[in-house]
Amino acid sequence: MDTSQQVAVIARNKEDWAAPLRQRRSIAEKRRIVEETLARGASVARVARAQGINANQVFGWRRLYLAGRLGEPKPGGKLLPVRVSESKPAAVTTEPSCPEAAELQCGTIDVEFRRARVRIEGRADPALVRVLLECLRG
């Protein structure tokens, strides 16, 4: 049997070869679909099938949604007001939260993120550093 022959298929109309048009979903519609998948007992595959969407696409939307990049920000994320001034800050004296911290005089903490760098010089309150890092991580 010779399988080297190739068969050419020629379409009579352009409509025979037309690919289906892509559906464009609005941000609100994507959020609604993702929120449907986040309900207790919901299956991403079932929700995607009911909407006529590939489940991998819905998983991608979920990642964006959970990162706060699909429209409205996640509840709980707040921006803090910042004021920049030319004057030098006043010296703040605080009591260390633990006796061991009293022995530490000064130091430097450098934290590097993808697009930011935080440098803390001097005596750092551990609770304040923790809150700062949690805010930057979120």
Side-chain angles (χ1 to χ4, degrees):
M1 172 181 225
D2 184 15
T3 59
S4 63
Q5 286 184 340
Q6 295 181 355
V7 177
V9 178
I10 301 172
R12 295 177 192 252
N13 299 329
K14 281 190 171 183
E15 293 82 31
D16 292 344
W17 288 103
L21 294 176
R22 263 188 193 182
Q23 278 189 328
R24 302 282 183 196
R25 308 252 181 197
S26 68
I27 301 280
E29 190 174 3
K30 291 176 187 178
R31 269 196 323 265
R32 182 188 55 78
I33 292 168
V34 168
E35 287 169 354
E36 195 175 324
T37 66
L38 296 174
R40 185 179 197 112
S43 163
V44 173
R46 286 187 184 131
V47 171
R49 193 176 317 125
Q51 298 293 330
I53 307 169
N54 186 306
N56 292 327
Q57 181 68 64
V58 177
F59 277 114
W61 293 345
R62 277 174 57 130
R63 277 191 296 278
L64 291 174
Y65 180 88
L66 294 173
R69 295 177 48 209
L70 192 60
E72 298 174 6
K74 291 190 302 186
K78 296 179 182 177
L79 297 177
L80 300 175
V82 176
R83 189 178 323 152
V84 179
S85 66
E86 296 284 329
S87 64
K88 291 184 178 182
V92 177
T93 58
T94 58
E95 293 298 319
S97 56
C98 60
E100 297 85 25
E103 297 173 5
L104 300 175
Q105 292 300 316
C106 64
T108 303
I109 300 173
D110 286 335
V111 181
E112 292 188 28
F113 295 94
R114 287 187 192 148
R115 290 183 253 157
R117 182 177 176 197
V118 176
R119 182 180 182 104
I120 302 170
E121 294 182 354
R123 188 180 302 171
D125 180 29
L128 179 62
V129 172
R130 188 192 70 204
V131 169
L132 173 68
L133 294 176
E134 285 176 358
C135 290
L136 290 173
R137 184 181 58 148

PDB file of all heavy atoms in Angstrom, residues 10 15-16 19 21 23 29 36 54 56 69 72 80 88 96-97 101 104 107 116 118-119 121 133 136:
ATOM      1  N   ILE A  10      -9.785  21.147  -1.837  1.00  0.00           N
ATOM      2  CA  ILE A  10      -9.993  22.506  -2.307  1.00  0.00           C
ATOM      3  C   ILE A  10     -11.389  22.950  -1.901  1.00  0.00           C
ATOM      4  O   ILE A  10     -12.378  22.293  -2.221  1.00  0.00           O
ATOM      5  CB  ILE A  10      -9.828  22.589  -3.840  1.00  0.00           C
ATOM      6  CG1 ILE A  10      -8.416  22.120  -4.220  1.00  0.00           C
ATOM      7  CG2 ILE A  10     -10.089  23.997  -4.330  1.00  0.00           C
ATOM      8  CD1 ILE A  10      -8.200  21.978  -5.695  1.00  0.00           C
ATOM      9  N   GLU A  15     -16.335  30.612   2.880  1.00  0.00           N
ATOM     10  CA  GLU A  15     -17.033  30.345   4.132  1.00  0.00           C
ATOM     11  C   GLU A  15     -16.723  28.956   4.670  1.00  0.00           C
ATOM     12  O   GLU A  15     -16.815  28.708   5.864  1.00  0.00           O
ATOM     13  CB  GLU A  15     -18.548  30.498   3.963  1.00  0.00           C
ATOM     14  CG  GLU A  15     -19.012  31.914   3.694  1.00  0.00           C
ATOM     15  CD  GLU A  15     -18.881  32.292   2.213  1.00  0.00           C
ATOM     16  OE1 GLU A  15     -19.013  31.412   1.343  1.00  0.00           O
ATOM     17  OE2 GLU A  15     -18.624  33.468   1.944  1.00  0.00           O
ATOM     18  N   ASP A  16     -16.343  28.028   3.789  1.00  0.00           N
ATOM     19  CA  ASP A  16     -16.025  26.677   4.244  1.00  0.00           C
ATOM     20  C   ASP A  16     -14.774  26.657   5.118  1.00  0.00           C
ATOM     21  O   ASP A  16     -14.613  25.802   5.967  1.00  0.00           O
ATOM     22  CB  ASP A  16     -15.812  25.751   3.037  1.00  0.00           C
ATOM     23  CG  ASP A  16     -17.098  25.509   2.259  1.00  0.00           C
ATOM     24  OD1 ASP A  16     -18.188  25.802   2.806  1.00  0.00           O
ATOM     25  OD2 ASP A  16     -17.024  25.046   1.103  1.00  0.00           O
ATOM     26  N   ALA A  19     -12.635  30.401  10.058  1.00  0.00           N
ATOM     27  CA  ALA A  19     -12.484  29.961  11.448  1.00  0.00           C
ATOM     28  C   ALA A  19     -13.536  30.669  12.301  1.00  0.00           C
ATOM     29  O   ALA A  19     -13.927  31.792  12.011  1.00  0.00           O
ATOM     30  CB  ALA A  19     -11.093  30.306  11.957  1.00  0.00           C
ATOM     31  N   LEU A  21     -15.114  32.937  15.017  1.00  0.00           N
ATOM     32  CA  LEU A  21     -14.610  34.169  15.618  1.00  0.00           C
ATOM     33  C   LEU A  21     -14.369  33.970  17.110  1.00  0.00           C
ATOM     34  O   LEU A  21     -15.100  33.245  17.776  1.00  0.00           O
ATOM     35  CB  LEU A  21     -15.600  35.306  15.415  1.00  0.00           C
ATOM     36  CG  LEU A  21     -15.810  35.738  13.972  1.00  0.00           C
ATOM     37  CD1 LEU A  21     -16.897  36.808  13.908  1.00  0.00           C
ATOM     38  CD2 LEU A  21     -14.521  36.265  13.388  1.00  0.00           C
ATOM     39  N   GLN A  23     -14.436  34.779  20.958  1.00  0.00           N
ATOM     40  CA  GLN A  23     -15.341  35.510  21.839  1.00  0.00           C
ATOM     41  C   GLN A  23     -14.530  36.416  22.729  1.00  0.00           C
ATOM     42  O   GLN A  23     -13.529  36.001  23.310  1.00  0.00           O
ATOM     43  CB  GLN A  23     -16.143  34.548  22.712  1.00  0.00           C
ATOM     44  CG  GLN A  23     -17.342  33.966  22.039  1.00  0.00           C
ATOM     45  CD  GLN A  23     -18.190  33.216  23.047  1.00  0.00           C
ATOM     46  OE1 GLN A  23     -17.686  32.645  23.996  1.00  0.00           O
ATOM     47  NE2 GLN A  23     -19.484  33.233  22.823  1.00  0.00           N
ATOM     48  N   GLU A  29     -17.676  40.156  33.097  1.00  0.00           N
ATOM     49  CA  GLU A  29     -18.099  38.783  32.814  1.00  0.00           C
ATOM     50  C   GLU A  29     -17.039  37.788  33.292  1.00  0.00           C
ATOM     51  O   GLU A  29     -17.365  36.741  33.863  1.00  0.00           O
ATOM     52  CB  GLU A  29     -18.343  38.618  31.318  1.00  0.00           C
ATOM     53  CG  GLU A  29     -19.018  37.316  30.952  1.00  0.00           C
ATOM     54  CD  GLU A  29     -19.367  37.246  29.486  1.00  0.00           C
ATOM     55  OE1 GLU A  29     -19.041  38.174  28.724  1.00  0.00           O
ATOM     56  OE2 GLU A  29     -19.981  36.236  29.103  1.00  0.00           O
ATOM     57  N   GLU A  36     -17.936  32.478  40.277  1.00  0.00           N
ATOM     58  CA  GLU A  36     -18.766  31.264  40.252  1.00  0.00           C
ATOM     59  C   GLU A  36     -17.911  30.036  40.568  1.00  0.00           C
ATOM     60  O   GLU A  36     -18.361  29.121  41.250  1.00  0.00           O
ATOM     61  CB  GLU A  36     -19.400  31.133  38.864  1.00  0.00           C
ATOM     62  CG  GLU A  36     -20.535  30.154  38.777  1.00  0.00           C
ATOM     63  CD  GLU A  36     -21.174  30.178  37.393  1.00  0.00           C
ATOM     64  OE1 GLU A  36     -21.259  31.253  36.789  1.00  0.00           O
ATOM     65  OE2 GLU A  36     -21.584  29.093  36.927  1.00  0.00           O
ATOM     66  N   ASN A  54     -12.730  27.130  27.620  1.00  0.00           N
ATOM     67  CA  ASN A  54     -11.736  26.147  28.001  1.00  0.00           C
ATOM     68  C   ASN A  54     -11.398  26.338  29.479  1.00  0.00           C
ATOM     69  O   ASN A  54     -11.209  27.472  29.937  1.00  0.00           O
ATOM     70  CB  ASN A  54     -10.489  26.338  27.132  1.00  0.00           C
ATOM     71  CG  ASN A  54      -9.462  25.259  27.365  1.00  0.00           C
ATOM     72  OD1 ASN A  54      -9.049  25.023  28.488  1.00  0.00           O
ATOM     73  ND2 ASN A  54      -9.051  24.609  26.293  1.00  0.00           N
ATOM     74  N   ASN A  56      -8.679  25.809  31.051  1.00  0.00           N
ATOM     75  CA  ASN A  56      -7.375  26.463  31.251  1.00  0.00           C
ATOM     76  C   ASN A  56      -7.516  27.978  31.205  1.00  0.00           C
ATOM     77  O   ASN A  56      -6.812  28.690  31.927  1.00  0.00           O
ATOM     78  CB  ASN A  56      -6.371  26.006  30.190  1.00  0.00           C
ATOM     79  CG  ASN A  56      -5.998  24.557  30.375  1.00  0.00           C
ATOM     80  OD1 ASN A  56      -5.952  24.070  31.490  1.00  0.00           O
ATOM     81  ND2 ASN A  56      -5.749  23.865  29.283  1.00  0.00           N
ATOM     82  N   ARG A  69      -5.681  41.558  39.711  1.00  0.00           N
ATOM     83  CA  ARG A  69      -5.422  42.174  38.416  1.00  0.00           C
ATOM     84  C   ARG A  69      -6.563  41.992  37.433  1.00  0.00           C
ATOM     85  O   ARG A  69      -6.405  42.244  36.248  1.00  0.00           O
ATOM     86  CB  ARG A  69      -4.143  41.573  37.830  1.00  0.00           C
ATOM     87  CG  ARG A  69      -2.924  41.914  38.665  1.00  0.00           C
ATOM     88  CD  ARG A  69      -1.653  41.275  38.163  1.00  0.00           C
ATOM     89  NE  ARG A  69      -1.488  41.448  36.750  1.00  0.00           N
ATOM     90  CZ  ARG A  69      -0.838  40.584  35.976  1.00  0.00           C
ATOM     91  NH1 ARG A  69      -0.312  39.505  36.501  1.00  0.00           N
ATOM     92  NH2 ARG A  69      -0.713  40.797  34.691  1.00  0.00           N
ATOM     93  N   GLU A  72     -11.598  45.041  39.654  1.00  0.00           N
ATOM     94  CA  GLU A  72     -11.610  45.623  40.994  1.00  0.00           C
ATOM     95  C   GLU A  72     -10.578  44.942  41.888  1.00  0.00           C
ATOM     96  O   GLU A  72     -10.371  43.747  41.800  1.00  0.00           O
ATOM     97  CB  GLU A  72     -12.994  45.454  41.615  1.00  0.00           C
ATOM     98  CG  GLU A  72     -14.078  46.167  40.849  1.00  0.00           C
ATOM     99  CD  GLU A  72     -15.461  45.866  41.391  1.00  0.00           C
ATOM    100  OE1 GLU A  72     -15.552  45.190  42.430  1.00  0.00           O
ATOM    101  OE2 GLU A  72     -16.414  46.285  40.770  1.00  0.00           O
ATOM    102  N   LEU A  80      -2.031  53.405  51.501  1.00  0.00           N
ATOM    103  CA  LEU A  80      -1.786  54.301  52.618  1.00  0.00           C
ATOM    104  C   LEU A  80      -1.309  55.642  52.085  1.00  0.00           C
ATOM    105  O   LEU A  80      -0.521  55.693  51.146  1.00  0.00           O
ATOM    106  CB  LEU A  80      -0.720  53.704  53.549  1.00  0.00           C
ATOM    107  CG  LEU A  80      -1.055  52.351  54.155  1.00  0.00           C
ATOM    108  CD1 LEU A  80       0.138  51.827  54.946  1.00  0.00           C
ATOM    109  CD2 LEU A  80      -2.262  52.461  55.059  1.00  0.00           C
ATOM    110  N   LYS A  88      14.298  67.153  57.692  1.00  0.00           N
ATOM    111  CA  LYS A  88      14.784  65.913  58.277  1.00  0.00           C
ATOM    112  C   LYS A  88      13.763  65.431  59.306  1.00  0.00           C
ATOM    113  O   LYS A  88      13.179  66.228  60.029  1.00  0.00           O
ATOM    114  CB  LYS A  88      16.131  66.132  58.957  1.00  0.00           C
ATOM    115  CG  LYS A  88      17.240  66.417  57.984  1.00  0.00           C
ATOM    116  CD  LYS A  88      18.554  66.528  58.714  1.00  0.00           C
ATOM    117  CE  LYS A  88      19.672  66.765  57.729  1.00  0.00           C
ATOM    118  NZ  LYS A  88      20.962  66.837  58.398  1.00  0.00           N
ATOM    119  N   PRO A  96      12.449  49.266  73.286  1.00  0.00           N
ATOM    120  CA  PRO A  96      12.457  47.990  72.567  1.00  0.00           C
ATOM    121  C   PRO A  96      11.390  47.064  73.124  1.00  0.00           C
ATOM    122  O   PRO A  96      11.085  47.088  74.312  1.00  0.00           O
ATOM    123  CB  PRO A  96      13.864  47.439  72.798  1.00  0.00           C
ATOM    124  CG  PRO A  96      14.435  48.229  73.917  1.00  0.00           C
ATOM    125  CD  PRO A  96      13.685  49.513  73.995  1.00  0.00           C
ATOM    126  N   SER A  97      10.826  46.247  72.227  1.00  0.00           N
ATOM    127  CA  SER A  97       9.737  45.356  72.635  1.00  0.00           C
ATOM    128  C   SER A  97      10.238  44.165  73.438  1.00  0.00           C
ATOM    129  O   SER A  97       9.464  43.513  74.115  1.00  0.00           O
ATOM    130  CB  SER A  97       8.967  44.878  71.407  1.00  0.00           C
ATOM    131  OG  SER A  97       9.862  44.254  70.508  1.00  0.00           O
ATOM    132  N   ALA A 101      16.597  43.099  72.497  1.00  0.00           N
ATOM    133  CA  ALA A 101      16.721  44.132  71.473  1.00  0.00           C
ATOM    134  C   ALA A 101      17.446  45.358  71.996  1.00  0.00           C
ATOM    135  O   ALA A 101      17.999  46.130  71.226  1.00  0.00           O
ATOM    136  CB  ALA A 101      15.342  44.517  70.948  1.00  0.00           C
ATOM    137  N   LEU A 104      21.102  45.535  70.989  1.00  0.00           N
ATOM    138  CA  LEU A 104      21.412  45.852  69.599  1.00  0.00           C
ATOM    139  C   LEU A 104      21.404  47.358  69.417  1.00  0.00           C
ATOM    140  O   LEU A 104      20.436  48.030  69.718  1.00  0.00           O
ATOM    141  CB  LEU A 104      20.375  45.215  68.666  1.00  0.00           C
ATOM    142  CG  LEU A 104      20.256  43.700  68.735  1.00  0.00           C
ATOM    143  CD1 LEU A 104      19.124  43.234  67.867  1.00  0.00           C
ATOM    144  CD2 LEU A 104      21.558  43.048  68.325  1.00  0.00           C
ATOM    145  N   GLY A 107      21.939  48.820  62.922  1.00  0.00           N
ATOM    146  CA  GLY A 107      22.262  47.908  61.837  1.00  0.00           C
ATOM    147  C   GLY A 107      21.524  48.348  60.590  1.00  0.00           C
ATOM    148  O   GLY A 107      20.893  49.408  60.568  1.00  0.00           O
ATOM    149  N   ALA A 116      11.298  46.675  43.723  1.00  0.00           N
ATOM    150  CA  ALA A 116      11.470  47.610  44.834  1.00  0.00           C
ATOM    151  C   ALA A 116      12.592  47.137  45.745  1.00  0.00           C
ATOM    152  O   ALA A 116      12.930  45.958  45.775  1.00  0.00           O
ATOM    153  CB  ALA A 116      10.179  47.732  45.624  1.00  0.00           C
ATOM    154  N   VAL A 118      13.828  47.913  49.862  1.00  0.00           N
ATOM    155  CA  VAL A 118      13.555  48.560  51.142  1.00  0.00           C
ATOM    156  C   VAL A 118      14.831  48.480  51.976  1.00  0.00           C
ATOM    157  O   VAL A 118      15.420  47.412  52.121  1.00  0.00           O
ATOM    158  CB  VAL A 118      12.385  47.862  51.878  1.00  0.00           C
ATOM    159  CG1 VAL A 118      12.166  48.481  53.241  1.00  0.00           C
ATOM    160  CG2 VAL A 118      11.123  47.898  51.049  1.00  0.00           C
ATOM    161  N   ARG A 119      15.217  49.633  52.520  1.00  0.00           N
ATOM    162  CA  ARG A 119      16.414  49.689  53.369  1.00  0.00           C
ATOM    163  C   ARG A 119      16.010  50.314  54.701  1.00  0.00           C
ATOM    164  O   ARG A 119      15.499  51.427  54.746  1.00  0.00           O
ATOM    165  CB  ARG A 119      17.498  50.514  52.694  1.00  0.00           C
ATOM    166  CG  ARG A 119      18.774  50.578  53.475  1.00  0.00           C
ATOM    167  CD  ARG A 119      19.800  51.415  52.711  1.00  0.00           C
ATOM    168  NE  ARG A 119      21.045  51.453  53.414  1.00  0.00           N
ATOM    169  CZ  ARG A 119      22.122  50.758  53.089  1.00  0.00           C
ATOM    170  NH1 ARG A 119      22.081  49.981  52.041  1.00  0.00           N
ATOM    171  NH2 ARG A 119      23.213  50.857  53.797  1.00  0.00           N
ATOM    172  N   GLU A 121      17.568  51.409  58.313  1.00  0.00           N
ATOM    173  CA  GLU A 121      18.817  51.662  59.025  1.00  0.00           C
ATOM    174  C   GLU A 121      18.511  51.976  60.482  1.00  0.00           C
ATOM    175  O   GLU A 121      17.477  52.543  60.804  1.00  0.00           O
ATOM    176  CB  GLU A 121      19.569  52.822  58.385  1.00  0.00           C
ATOM    177  CG  GLU A 121      20.057  52.506  56.995  1.00  0.00           C
ATOM    178  CD  GLU A 121      20.841  53.650  56.382  1.00  0.00           C
ATOM    179  OE1 GLU A 121      20.908  54.733  56.990  1.00  0.00           O
ATOM    180  OE2 GLU A 121      21.394  53.454  55.297  1.00  0.00           O
ATOM    181  N   LEU A 133       6.641  44.395  55.797  1.00  0.00           N
ATOM    182  CA  LEU A 133       6.858  43.315  54.834  1.00  0.00           C
ATOM    183  C   LEU A 133       5.547  42.669  54.408  1.00  0.00           C
ATOM    184  O   LEU A 133       5.392  42.284  53.252  1.00  0.00           O
ATOM    185  CB  LEU A 133       7.830  42.292  55.386  1.00  0.00           C
ATOM    186  CG  LEU A 133       9.263  42.799  55.597  1.00  0.00           C
ATOM    187  CD1 LEU A 133      10.120  41.720  56.243  1.00  0.00           C
ATOM    188  CD2 LEU A 133       9.855  43.275  54.293  1.00  0.00           C
ATOM    189  N   LEU A 136       3.968  44.944  51.833  1.00  0.00           N
ATOM    190  CA  LEU A 136       4.655  44.897  50.548  1.00  0.00           C
ATOM    191  C   LEU A 136       4.428  43.584  49.838  1.00  0.00           C
ATOM    192  O   LEU A 136       4.392  43.528  48.612  1.00  0.00           O
ATOM    193  CB  LEU A 136       6.150  45.128  50.741  1.00  0.00           C
ATOM    194  CG  LEU A 136       6.546  46.542  51.152  1.00  0.00           C
ATOM    195  CD1 LEU A 136       8.016  46.600  51.471  1.00  0.00           C
ATOM    196  CD2 LEU A 136       6.197  47.532  50.061  1.00  0.00           C
TER     197      LEU A 136
END
